[in-house]
Amino acid sequence: MKFTKMQGCGNDYIYVNCFEESVTSPQQLAKAVSDRHFGIGSDGLVLIMPGDNADCQMRMFNSDGSESEMCGNAIRCVAKYVYDRDIIHKRELSVETLAGIKYITINTDNNDIARTMTVDMGAPITKAADIPVFADRSPVTDLKLSAFDRNFTFTCVSMGNPHAVTFIDEAVSSFDVERFGNVFEVDEHFPHRSNIEFAEILSPTHLKMRVWERGAGETLACGTGTCATVAAACLNGICPREPVTVDLLGGQLTIEWNAEDGHIYMTGPAEFVFDGEI
C-alpha cells in the first residue's frame, strides 16, 4: 500500500489515496500504521476518497482505531494533497466528512503550491444534547468537574465532534495535560467521550492551548479543538468575534467566529512530510 505522511501544526497522519488504493479494515490499519515504534508513526489514519456529494471525502481514524467525525488539521492536509497532486485542482474545494460537508479555500504560493487553507468549519454546536454532554442547560459554560482534588469549569462545544474547554490560571506549557486529560476524556458527563482542551489567556485575541484528543492522547495540535476553544472563549466573553491567534505545541492557527454568518473559519498550514510504501 502506498501512503503519504503529512502534518498540520505537528498533528501528523498517514494519508491513503483511495482514488487508487483499497482499504478494507481501516480500524486495524490505523492502529498498525500509527504505532511510532512498530509502524510508521502518526496520530492516526486518513482515507482520501471520492465524494458522494462533494469534491472528495475524508474518513479519519484515531491511533486507537476509533473513527472521528472531523479533524481540522487533517482536512487542510487533504485539501493540499488533492490540489498539489492534481486530483482536484481547484481553489474552492468541498470535502465530505461525518460532520457534514466542509468548504475550503486554498491559498497558494507563486509556484501554485498549496500553503495555507481557510476552512469553513460551520457553526459551533452549543446545545447539550447535540454535543453530546449531560448538562442541565445550554450553552454549557459552567460544567464543574474535579480530579485529583482540583476543580475545573468546562465549556462544552461540538465542531462535529465533542469538546470540553477549560481556561486555567497558570502557564499551560507546564500543565499536566496527560494526568487530567486521561480522566476527563472518559468522564460520565460525556456519553461519547470528549476531546479536552486546556487554555491559557494571553490577551483577548491571543490564546495558548494544549489538547488531549479523544482516542489519541495529547497531540501537538487539534483544529476542531482550536475552533472549540475560541468558541468557548467567545461564549464566556473572553474573546471578541474577530480573528484570534491560538498558539499550539506544533504551531499557530487563526480562528474567527464570524458574527455575520455564525460560522467559524480556521486558517492554518498543511505540510507534506514524505511518501512511502508499506
Side-chain angles (χ1 to χ4, degrees):
M1 185 187 75
K2 294 180 180 178
F3 69 88
T4 298
K5 185 166 182 176
M6 302 181 75
Q7 58 89 8
C9 292
N11 201 188
D12 61 336
Y13 291 94
I14 304 304
Y15 293 80
V16 178
N17 178 3
C18 291
F19 285 82
E20 299 177 356
E21 300 280 349
S22 178
V23 175
T24 56
S25 301
Q27 293 85 354
Q28 293 303 315
L29 182 63
K31 294 181 189 178
V33 299
S34 299
D35 192 297
R36 297 187 185 274
H37 299 286
F38 297 101
I40 303 164
S42 69
D43 290 327
L45 170 72
V46 175
L47 306 183
I48 304 172
M49 310 168 67
D52 296 323
N53 301 297
D55 293 316
C56 63
Q57 181 181 169
M58 176 184 87
R59 290 186 68 190
M60 178 264 177
F61 298 85
N62 297 306
S63 56
D64 69 352
S66 60
E67 186 169 7
S68 282
E69 300 88 345
M70 173 59 186
C71 176
N73 291 314
I75 203 170
R76 296 198 313 275
C77 290
V78 168
K80 178 177 176 63
Y81 186 100
V82 299
Y83 185 88
D84 287 352
R85 300 187 187 220
D86 289 324
I87 298 171
I88 306 164
H89 197 78
K90 52 194 286 192
R91 298 284 184 90
E92 302 291 332
L93 186 72
S94 59
V95 180
E96 201 171 329
T97 75
L98 290 181
I101 296 175
K102 303 301 178 185
Y103 298 92
I104 306 170
T105 300
I106 296 174
N107 310 302
T108 61
D109 62 16
N110 293 332
N111 296 316
D112 197 31
I113 301 298
R115 294 301 181 193
T116 66
M117 295 82 200
T118 298
V119 184
D120 180 350
M121 300 289 285
I125 297 166
T126 59
K127 186 177 178 181
D130 294 337
I131 293 174
V133 56
F134 295 129
D136 294 332
R137 60 177 183 167
S138 301
V140 185
T141 57
D142 59 352
L143 179 65
K144 292 178 171 50
L145 301 179
S146 300
F148 306 108
D149 296 323
R150 180 163 175 176
N151 300 320
F152 296 83
T153 299
F154 285 91
T155 296
C156 299
V157 176
S158 172
M159 293 303 305
N161 53 355
H163 295 269
V165 182
T166 185
F167 297 94
I168 60 175
D169 295 323
E170 61 185 272
V172 73
S173 57
S174 57
F175 184 79
D176 196 341
V177 168
E178 180 175 6
R179 186 184 192 209
F180 290 96
N182 246 319
V183 173
F184 292 136
E185 176 191 351
V186 297
D187 187 88
E188 61 184 8
H189 288 82
F190 308 123
H192 296 168
R193 298 186 293 164
S194 183
N195 301 282
I196 308 297
E197 284 78 29
F198 302 93
E200 175 186 356
I201 303 164
L202 302 179
S203 81
T205 56
H206 195 180
L207 305 175
K208 182 180 284 190
M209 188 268 281
R210 288 171 65 190
V211 57
W212 180 265
E213 288 203 54
R214 178 184 58 168
E218 185 174 16
T219 60
L220 296 182
C222 175
T224 56
T226 309
C227 294
T229 297
V230 172
C234 292
L235 289 171
N236 285 282
I238 296 167
C239 293
R241 297 282 282 271
E242 60 185 65
V244 175
T245 299
V246 184
D247 296 344
L248 308 162
L249 292 179
Q252 279 188 340
L253 292 174
T254 300
I255 310 296
E256 179 186 5
W257 189 358
N258 188 277
E260 293 184 7
D261 63 13
H263 287 202
I264 289 188
Y265 294 86
M266 171 188 64
T267 301
E271 298 289 342
F272 166 79
V273 182
F274 62 82
D275 287 320
E277 189 173 289
I278 187 169

